[in-house]
Each structure stands twice: as structure tokens, then as C-alpha cells.
Amino acid sequence: MNKDERIELANLLFPNIKKTRQDYENMYKARNINEDQMITRYGPSPTGSVHLGNLFSAFCDMIYARQSKGSFYLRIEDTDQKRKVDGGIENITSVLKEFNIVPTEGYDYGGEYGPYQQSMRTEIYQTYVKDLIINNLAYPCFMSEEEQNQIKEEQAILKTKIGIYGVYAVDRDLSLEEIKEKLANNEEYVIRLKSPGDAKNQIEVMDCIKGKLKFPEHDMDTVLLKKDGTPTYHLAHVIDDHLMHTTHVIRGDEWISSLPLHVQLFEIFGFDKPHYAHIAPITIKDSETNTIRKISKRKDPWASAKYYIEQGIPIDAVHLYLATIANTNFEEWYLANPDKKIEDFTFTFEKQAIGGTSFDEAKLNNLCKTYFSRKTGEEVYEETLIYTAKFDLEYHKLLEENKQDMIKFLNIEKDGPRPRKDIAKYSDVKEEFSYAIDTLFERENYSKYEKENIYDVDLILEYVNTLDLDVTNEEWFQSVKDFASCHGYASSPKEYKQNPDLYKGHVGDICEAIRVMITGRMKSPDLFSIMKILGKEKILNRINLYKKYIEK
Ligand code: GLU
């Protein structure tokens, strides 16, 4: 086909495309940025719920753009109508908001480079493909599914590369007349790339994370536009990244195998290539098979973004965790700089993991505990209220009714050099502080007691009669010791160990008995602080209730 024929073909295939690529080049003006500023994008497909890997990818887009004072935009990649799920887009935007991963522009955020939704950009993609047809770099392919399957089978038998290329690209050189005839017969077609590549040649791509990557040149006539005229991911993202002036394509490394195609598309369109940064997946050691695999929403409940929200895992702690997997030197820095924020750290691609990063639940848990330990009781109270308003209305009401005491409880052991580290998520507050609210305590705790009475309740009642709460912690402890000595208990565990036959137990046993009776727990924050907040009347009530329960 000569150029005139190709122009005729292009008009025949795209009668409604009146703009030229130059029109779009003029519309999507270059960004006014310096060479250090990064333009990143998060390009999710609305195909289901968001998982931790998606969040990680968006988080990386955000941190690199933010620290370079660039822009991080959200682009909805909804070209695959078959995989689209209802509410998928709203789910993406709401999860990003819940996780405080805020794009600076894009779908739902606006900006000068929209529309930021691929299904709204079909005309743009078709304009660029029309141009490829004119330049002999794309063609309509009428091959049926059956024909393609036959080729596949043949290639499998011959053990050659699977796909449409070389001799298998039978529609590559159809004449204009032949194409016209097929069109007149209403035969369905896709538009394929007329790949100029040769697999004997090697190409090199410098990946910001993985380093130099080498591949055979792409030589497949890959589909660019599907039968319904919508683009494939390959075509759409190349045009978008060009027009939206993405400087860094940060995405999962499952896309590395398509990189030769993407590079070729950038080249044949004559676009400047962005930098690539392919991030390693988050992995997990499968407990059943003992092998390392990618995380899975189906197998790993914590792999789903919703899990964090529902459990009440603080978003800031999730960010800290994502930062530790983003850069291998982040954790050490954070430990050395407890007062600094993530924003104060300089992330670099060099410190990004090259292989898979294994999910470490214990580390996340620890980061969460550190997060809570650095918050005041007031802050924990307010944040827990926000969580319970959504996930536990009954407890929410109780928290509101018991605000003053609750904050006091949450403030116990906060001041010292090693603040309490017992809460890892908002949903832990109810369990960890179940003794703080009478209604809850009475309902939840007595049922947990062993019926067998291992403590001397009457002795504890007698102790409480002598209890003075208006003293210092040291004075109080001295008084328990004195009480212990007077009643046949050693005043220290050491003393008891030296002569166990002389004593019924030691002062720790008395404290344990008090603790169990008034908190329902073997472990709790500082006992005297709890007693002070409860007051003598409640303490007595609880011990009497315990006694009643045990004697039942
Ligand atoms: N839409 C692609 C996906 O959801 C995004 C890939 C990319 O970021 O380029 O996997």
C-alpha cells in the first residue's frame, strides 16, 4: 500500500476521528517542572478490591512525587470492560482517601491533563493509531479466534514463540482492496502493531530499581485496538504517560516482560521515554507449601486494604510499614529518629528492594504498638471514637459516656522513658481496657473467671478495708508489703524463694489477686493507677462481685 492508500484506509477505519495527533500534542502542554521534579501516576484498574500491593505501589508514587515537589496523579485504567466490577472506581478512590494516599491531581482530583479515566479517552487513542496506519506501523487484522488457536497449536508443536509475528502475521500485507472487501462483509477486526522489531537484536533498558535490563527486541504484532475500538493497556498507558508527561513509571514488576513492547511503542510514536521503576511484589512464605509466593487476598486476610480499616490498624502505622518495605534503610533511620516523620526521610530507588519483600506481620504489629505508645491518652481516645463510630456502635456509646475515666486509663504509664506498648489497633482498646467501663467489665469479665477459687477473697477484702488511695505509688506498695507480712506472706518474691515453707505466698500473689478481681486480667498497666481511677467503692464492688461469682 502506498501512502495515499494508507490515508484512505485510515479514513475508512476511523471516519469519526477528525483531530490529528498534533492537536493533542498542542492540548497537553509540557509541564513547567525542573529536572528533579517527578511526575508519577497510580494507574489502577477497577477490577476488584484494593490490596496491599496496590497500596504499596500508590504509596511509592506518592512519596517520590512529594519529596521532589512534583505531582502524583490518579489515572483510572478501565479499558478492560470485561474485568470491570461495579463500584470498582469508587472503591479505589475511597480506599486511597481512607489510607491518606492523596494524589495531587487526577481522577476525582482534577488537573490539566484529563480526562484521567481511560474509557473517556478512546478518541485520543484512535487518533494516534490512525496516524500509525498512515505511517505503515499498524494494520487491521481480521483473523478469527479459530485461526489464532490453530497458529498457537502449530507453534506449540514446532516449539516456537507463541504469537502473531513474521509468517504468522497473515493480514500484515493485505491490499486496500482486500481490506475493503472484508469491511464490506462486516468482518470483525482488531488493529495490530506492525512491529518493526527483530528478536535477533538486543535492547537495553535502565530500570531505576532493577538496573540494566536486557531483552530481545519486540517483534510481535501486538493488538493495539480491540474489536470494539477500545485500546489495550499497552497502547493506552504509553499515550497517556506521554500526554500527561509522566517522568517516572513506578509499577509492579509483573510488567517487565512487556517492557520491550512499551519501549517500542514509545519509539515508533516518537515520544520521549519515561524512567521506569519496577517495584518488587510483596511476598509471603506459604505455611502450607513452605514456598514463597505473592500475597493473595483470598489466602491472606491482611492482604486486603479493607482489613486494615476494619481491624482499626492506624493508617500512620501502615504508612510506616510501607516506608520500611519501600526503602531498606528506612527502619534504621526511623529507630534513630523517633521524632521525625516519614516526610523527613529521603527515599531513593537505589534502596528499594530488587526482589520480593516478605510481609512481616510482627514488624507491622510492632510499628502499630510504637505508634500508640507515642500518642497521648486523649489522642488514643479520640481516634478510637472515630473507629468505633463505624465498627462498634455499642462500645462507641460507652466510650462517650465514660470519657473522663477512659482518658485517665489510657494515660496510665505514658510518661516514662518506655511508654506502654499494649495496643496495636483500635479494636484492641476494648479488650485491653475491658476493666475501664463497669458495664463491659461486669458483662465480659466475670464469665472468664475460673470457678475454682485460687485466691483468698476475704483476705483481699480485708486488705481493701485498709486501703488508702491518697498516697504515692511507693507508699502504697509499702502498705501492701506490710499487709502481706502481717498475714503470712513474704514481702518479696526473693524472700519467699529462700524459705517457701515459711509463707503462704508473697506480696506479688496478693497483687495478682487484686488485679484479677478488679481488672479480670493477669496482666494490666500499673495496678495502683487503675485502683486510683476506679476508687474504693468500685474496687469493693468488683471484689464482692467476684466473690459472689466464685461462690455460686
Ligand atoms: N492498570 C495497571 C494495573 O492495574 C497498571 C499498571 C501501571 O501502573 O502501568 O495493573
Side-chain angles (χ1 to χ4, degrees):
M1 251 188 268
N2 61 34
K3 180 131 191 201
D4 286 343
E5 285 175 322
R6 292 200 302 268
I7 293 175
E8 190 183 338
L9 174 62
N11 286 327
L12 208 60
L13 296 174
F14 300 105
N16 299 324
I17 297 298
K18 303 287 184 225
K19 286 201 179 73
T20 64
R21 24 175 303 184
Q22 196 51 50
D23 293 327
Y24 289 110
E25 299 292 327
N26 296 342
M27 278 161 67
Y28 289 83
K29 295 256 177 297
R31 292 174 186 259
N32 189 10
I33 51 170
N34 64 42
E35 58 183 28
D36 296 327
Q37 284 173 291
M38 290 189 197
I39 309 298
T40 63
R41 86 292 194 278
Y42 174 49
S45 300
T47 52
S49 57
V50 179
H51 67 74
L52 191 64
N54 304 129
L55 280 182
F56 180 50
S57 181
F59 176 79
C60 292
D61 287 316
M62 176 177 76
I63 53 179
Y64 285 109
R66 184 171 65 194
Q67 75 183 19
S68 69
K69 303 200 166 36
S71 182
F72 150 47
Y73 69 85
L74 169 64
R75 182 172 73 215
I76 301 295
E77 305 206 329
D78 56 348
T79 56
D80 195 344
Q81 294 297 319
K82 278 187 241 128
R83 292 180 60 223
K84 204 166 168 176
V85 299
D86 284 344
I89 299 181
E90 293 69 30
N91 185 39
I92 290 167
T93 51
S94 71
V95 167
L96 287 180
K97 279 180 197 143
E98 280 172 321
F99 278 86
N100 202 17
I101 295 180
V102 189
T104 28
E105 66 177 81
Y107 183 89
D108 222 16
Y109 292 87
E112 288 173 40
Y113 297 88
Y116 294 93
Q117 182 177 6
Q118 290 184 330
S119 60
M120 310 281 285
R121 302 171 64 80
T122 309
E123 205 180 314
I124 304 178
Y125 308 126
Q126 292 189 351
T127 304
Y128 279 81
V129 171
K130 189 174 180 181
D131 189 70
L132 289 185
I133 300 257
I134 294 171
N135 287 303
N136 204 16
L137 286 161
Y139 64 94
C141 171
F142 297 89
M143 231 185 260
S144 67
E145 204 117 329
E146 278 161 25
E147 283 171 285
Q148 290 185 58
N149 286 338
Q150 259 173 17
I151 290 179
K152 231 189 240 172
E153 280 170 27
E154 194 180 315
Q155 288 169 334
I157 293 167
L158 294 173
K159 293 198 166 56
T160 53
K161 197 164 50 175
I162 306 284
I164 304 301
Y165 58 95
V167 291
Y168 302 107
V170 287
D171 285 356
R172 225 181 202 234
D173 297 311
L174 288 177
S175 69
L176 180 59
E177 287 317 308
E178 286 169 318
I179 294 175
K180 276 186 179 169
E181 208 181 301
K182 286 177 185 293
L183 292 178
N185 286 339
N186 280 332
E187 280 186 45
E188 288 187 322
Y189 64 93
V190 296
I191 303 282
R192 285 186 186 273
L193 165 71
K194 199 178 255 188
S195 175
D198 181 343
K200 288 197 220 70
N201 300 333
Q202 262 218 341
I203 60 159
E204 281 180 5
V205 185
M206 200 57 187
D207 188 89
C208 301
I209 296 170
K210 312 253 179 196
K212 196 190 279 175
L213 302 172
K214 289 184 185 164
F215 308 91
E217 204 167 63
H218 182 81
D219 67 348
M220 295 268 178
D221 285 0
T222 311
V223 175
L224 300 177
L225 290 179
K226 294 177 270 190
K227 280 183 192 155
D228 61 2
T230 62
T232 54
Y233 162 74
H234 309 298
L235 173 78
H237 94 282
V238 163
I239 293 175
D240 291 346
D241 281 335
H242 164 68
L243 289 177
M244 297 174 182
H245 302 283
T246 307
T247 63
H248 289 73
V249 171
I250 302 172
R251 63 181 177 186
D253 64 7
E254 68 272 19
W255 292 107
I256 284 194
S257 57
S258 326
L259 201 50
L261 164 63
H262 301 163
V263 167
Q264 186 166 80
L265 289 174
F266 272 96
E267 282 168 359
I268 64 171
F269 279 120
F271 300 157
D272 287 341
K273 285 191 270 299
H275 297 283
Y276 286 97
H278 286 96
I279 51 182
I282 302 175
T283 57
I284 178 87
K285 191 166 189 184
D286 193 300
S287 51
E288 277 171 31
T289 60
N290 230 2
T291 50
I292 305 282
R293 59 164 171 80
K294 275 194 185 183
I295 58 171
S296 135
K297 275 182 288 186
R298 208 165 32 84
K299 293 187 186 158
D300 318 310
W302 46 262
S304 144
K306 282 265 174 280
Y307 173 84
Y308 296 81
I309 303 296
E310 284 163 10
Q311 291 286 312
I313 296 172
I315 296 312
D316 285 359
V318 177
H319 278 217
L320 284 174
Y321 183 65
L322 294 177
T324 63
I325 44 179
N327 265 202
T328 48
N329 54 338
F330 177 83
E331 194 176 2
E332 200 186 325
W333 172 87
Y334 186 64
L335 286 175
N337 297 281
D339 300 330
K340 296 252 160 89
K341 294 201 192 79
I342 294 181
E343 288 89 320
D344 300 322
F345 180 79
T346 306
F347 289 89
T348 59
F349 289 125
E350 290 75 36
K351 293 286 184 194
Q352 197 105 15
I354 295 176
T357 323
S358 171
F359 179 76
D360 188 341
E361 199 168 6
K363 188 181 281 182
L364 172 63
N365 215 29
N366 200 26
L367 283 166
C368 290
K369 288 186 171 174
T370 306
Y371 168 86
F372 279 107
S373 74
R374 290 177 185 176
K375 293 269 164 185
T376 63
E378 285 80 357
E379 285 166 334
V380 176
Y381 175 82
E382 292 301 335
E383 291 176 21
T384 308
L385 268 190
I386 297 172
Y387 169 78
T388 53
K390 245 173 132 181
F391 295 103
D392 191 347
L393 268 184
E394 190 206 23
Y395 187 47
H396 183 78
K397 255 186 84 201
L398 290 173
L399 281 179
E400 284 184 322
E401 288 161 11
N402 293 276
K403 180 173 179 176
Q404 297 309 332
D405 277 358
M406 198 62 210
I407 291 176
K408 283 187 205 156
F409 281 116
L410 289 167
N411 265 327
I412 298 176
E413 281 179 52
K414 277 280 182 198
D415 302 332
R418 293 173 63 84
R420 203 164 33 75
K421 274 193 169 185
D422 45 3
I423 304 168
K425 44 192 191 301
Y426 297 111
S427 53
D428 287 348
V429 173
K430 187 179 184 178
E431 169 63 25
E432 288 293 326
F433 289 84
S434 54
Y435 51 82
I437 296 172
D438 270 344
T439 337
L440 260 191
F441 178 75
E442 285 162 24
R443 195 182 67 201
E444 313 268 324
N445 282 352
Y446 284 104
S447 59
K448 275 195 261 164
Y449 292 147
E450 300 271 344
K451 284 248 176 164
E452 184 189 350
N453 187 1
I454 58 163
Y455 302 114
D456 186 344
V457 194
D458 292 327
L459 180 75
I460 302 301
L461 276 173
E462 193 185 329
Y463 165 70
V464 174
N465 277 332
T466 69
L467 175 66
D468 182 359
L469 291 169
D470 259 339
V471 293
T472 65
N473 208 321
E474 291 73 26
E475 287 166 341
W476 165 75
F477 194 53
Q478 190 53 53
S479 75
V480 193
K481 281 185 179 173
D482 295 346
F483 181 85
S485 300
C486 292
H487 291 82
Y489 286 76
S491 62
S492 75
K494 200 173 151 201
E495 212 177 293
Y496 174 73
K497 264 193 203 136
Q498 279 162 358
N499 286 304
D501 297 340
L502 286 185
Y503 304 105
K504 296 187 206 162
H506 59 78
V507 62
D509 298 326
I510 294 189
C511 289
E512 181 183 301
I514 303 173
R515 192 186 309 272
V516 167
M517 289 176 209
I518 67 170
T519 71
R521 304 168 64 90
M522 293 291 280
K523 270 193 189 150
S524 76
D526 180 58
L527 183 59
F528 185 55
S529 307
I530 294 177
M531 289 166 79
K532 276 179 99 149
I533 303 169
L534 286 175
K536 212 162 167 171
E537 199 184 317
K538 275 193 187 177
I539 296 173
L540 265 175
N541 270 346
R542 288 187 180 192
I543 298 172
N544 279 320
L545 272 173
Y546 176 85
K547 185 173 171 163
K548 241 171 66 203
Y549 184 81
I550 291 300
E551 286 170 355
K552 240 197 247 164

